[in-house]
Amino acid sequence: MGMVAKDGGGYVTGNFIDDLPTPALLLDAATLDHNLKVMSEALPGPRLRPHVKAHKCSELARRQSKLGHRGFTCATVREMEGLARAGLGDDLLLANEVLDARRLGALDARVTVAVDSEETIDAAAMGGVREVLIDVNVGLPRCGCDPDRAGSLADLARRKKLEVRGVMGYEGHAMLIEDAGERAGIVAASMDRLAAAHADVGGDVISAGGTGSYACNGFATEIQAGSYALMDTAYAKIGSPFRPALFLLATVISRSSNYAVADCGLKALGMDHGDPTIDGYRVWFCSDEHVTFGRAEGDDREAVALPRVGDRIRVVPAHVDPTVAYHERVHLVSGEGVVESWPIDLRGW
Ligand SMILES: Cc1ncc(COP(=O)(O)O)c(C=O)c1O
């Protein structure tokens, strides 16, 4: 064992990656810096409103804020509360609908909430929220009103004494399209819908976009990208300057002649975008607490050794957001060392 230290949560961590109990979330410090820097150069300051749902970590949000992104996008009330508590509440957007906004109205922060119905406008007004964006359905069948209803909802919000800052519309159906031209076309069509709504709503803010569209969405005044900081194998497929920074450290706990088993499974990994990957091997399947993997297709079975029981491996998640939400903390690592351990403090609802 290396030296050990107790952090704020009373959790004993090693100063070396080898000391960490597994499964453990690792965040490569240099890759994180690279991803944050590349995005900040592309979308400086308020052009980026980082979405914190991807990392749920106020320490990581602090890094984004230090790079000049003082406004944040959230998906849950808990994320809004956590950022306000961390002193990062200059301009928080809940890009999601809520029917009880009282916890938001009580925050010591600038709070804006997405609304797409009479009910959510009432909830914002009754909860003491002062500012809203009209959320528009731009093609993803999720939240958002039809573009032709946006103007009348804005009028209603104003009658309820809410400040309407503008519109938002998330083109999530375009994000993972591998063909860049096809993706850009769908983003453009989505932004046409948002532009029509914005013409009726007014306001300075047009909030949209994500990691898959940050480079081709020139219409939005601010981009809500989140995954770019950590990345995952699903986003890696569309080709971008961002690199996978998040890994799950696991220990090989069993081995057979043609496969090995490590101690991380679907309770430690978001699986909705498919199986995780393990460099040099082929993942067979995940169960609750196990990942079973074998030699990669075409490998010479004699030449490629499977890891031995006790070996540590790195597993790359297919979808970062739900993966992070399973864990209490993430370890910032450099080489073999643990630099810092950050709580995933924005988890829950
Ligand atoms: C409302 C909203 N905005 C933006 C994003 C973009 O996030 P990412 O950059 O992780 O794709 C998402 C992701 O689901 C979202 O739900």
Side-chain angles (χ1 to χ4, degrees):
M1 279 288 268
M3 289 162 62
V4 292
K6 262 195 180 139
D7 66 17
Y11 183 91
V12 181
T13 55
N15 290 25
F16 300 103
I17 294 174
D18 268 354
D19 297 330
L20 294 172
T22 55
L25 261 194
L26 306 184
L27 176 52
D28 185 79
T31 312
L32 174 68
D33 284 348
H34 164 86
N35 291 346
L36 297 185
K37 184 166 172 280
V38 168
M39 184 59 102
S40 271
E41 283 169 3
L43 299 175
R47 283 281 293 125
L48 179 72
R49 183 187 280 279
H51 207 318
V52 300
K53 79 184 177 66
H55 56 68
K56 287 186 176 282
C57 173
S58 52
E59 279 307 318
L60 208 163
R62 201 179 301 290
R63 296 247 171 148
Q64 293 170 311
S65 171
K66 281 187 181 148
L67 286 169
H69 315 298
R70 307 295 299 269
F72 288 97
T73 311
C74 298
T76 65
V77 174
R78 176 68 68 83
E79 289 169 5
M80 298 280 282
E81 288 175 335
L83 289 179
R85 204 177 308 123
L88 296 169
D90 283 7
D91 186 358
L92 303 181
L93 167 63
L94 181 59
N96 206 357
E97 276 62 16
V98 281
L99 273 305
D100 181 350
R102 287 173 295 178
R103 281 161 61 196
L104 297 174
L107 290 182
D108 181 17
R110 181 176 186 186
V111 168
T112 303
V113 183
V115 292
D116 69 356
S117 63
E118 287 81 359
E119 291 84 350
T120 47
I121 289 171
D122 278 348
M126 281 163 47
V129 167
R130 290 207 288 277
E131 297 180 283
V132 295
L133 289 184
I134 305 299
D135 189 0
V136 180
N137 178 338
V138 295
L140 175 72
R142 213 173 61 179
C143 297
C145 65
D146 282 342
D148 58 10
R149 275 193 71 217
S152 61
L153 287 175
D155 293 343
L156 174 66
R158 289 186 177 111
R159 284 200 300 278
K160 303 253 174 191
K161 307 276 180 269
L162 293 164
E163 174 74 26
V164 180
R165 294 181 69 187
V167 292
M168 72 155 265
Y170 173 54
E171 70 276 29
H173 55 304
M175 292 297 155
L176 292 173
I177 296 174
E178 289 182 32
D179 183 287
E182 190 188 337
R183 189 174 350 122
I186 293 179
V187 171
S190 305
M191 291 305 104
D192 286 348
R193 287 170 67 90
L194 197 55
H198 182 246
D200 293 340
V201 169
D204 297 335
V205 177
I206 302 173
S207 198
T211 301
S213 67
Y214 83 97
C216 64
N217 187 333
F219 175 70
T221 59
E222 56 179 44
I223 297 291
Q224 305 177 351
S227 300
Y228 76 95
L230 306 180
M231 285 294 283
D232 53 30
T233 59
Y235 258 132
K237 284 190 196 138
I238 69 166
S240 85
F242 308 111
R243 302 176 188 147
L246 191 82
F247 306 90
L248 202 54
L249 181 73
T251 305
V252 175
I253 55 170
S254 183
R255 197 178 89 159
S256 142
S257 59
N258 60 335
Y259 65 84
V261 182
D263 63 351
C264 76
L266 53 86
K267 288 180 178 165
L269 283 160
M271 300 277 297
D272 58 316
H273 287 172
D275 283 335
T277 50
I278 302 172
D279 197 27
Y281 298 99
R282 185 169 65 88
V283 170
W284 287 14
F285 64 93
C286 288
S287 43
D288 280 10
E289 302 290 357
H290 306 100
V291 56
T292 298
F293 59 100
R295 296 176 179 89
E297 217 78 59
D299 271 344
D300 176 341
R301 295 170 69 86
E302 298 305 313
V304 178
L306 285 167
R308 288 173 308 182
V309 171
D311 282 353
R312 298 287 183 102
I313 56 161
R314 290 189 182 198
V315 178
V316 189
H319 192 183
V320 280
D321 305 43
T323 298
V324 168
Y326 282 131
H327 296 264
E328 289 175 10
R329 61 196 59 240
V330 60
H331 306 280
L332 191 70
V333 300
S334 178
E336 294 309 309
V338 178
V339 182
E340 274 176 64
S341 292
W342 293 339
I344 310 292
D345 57 324
L346 309 178
R347 298 193 313 160
W349 290 271

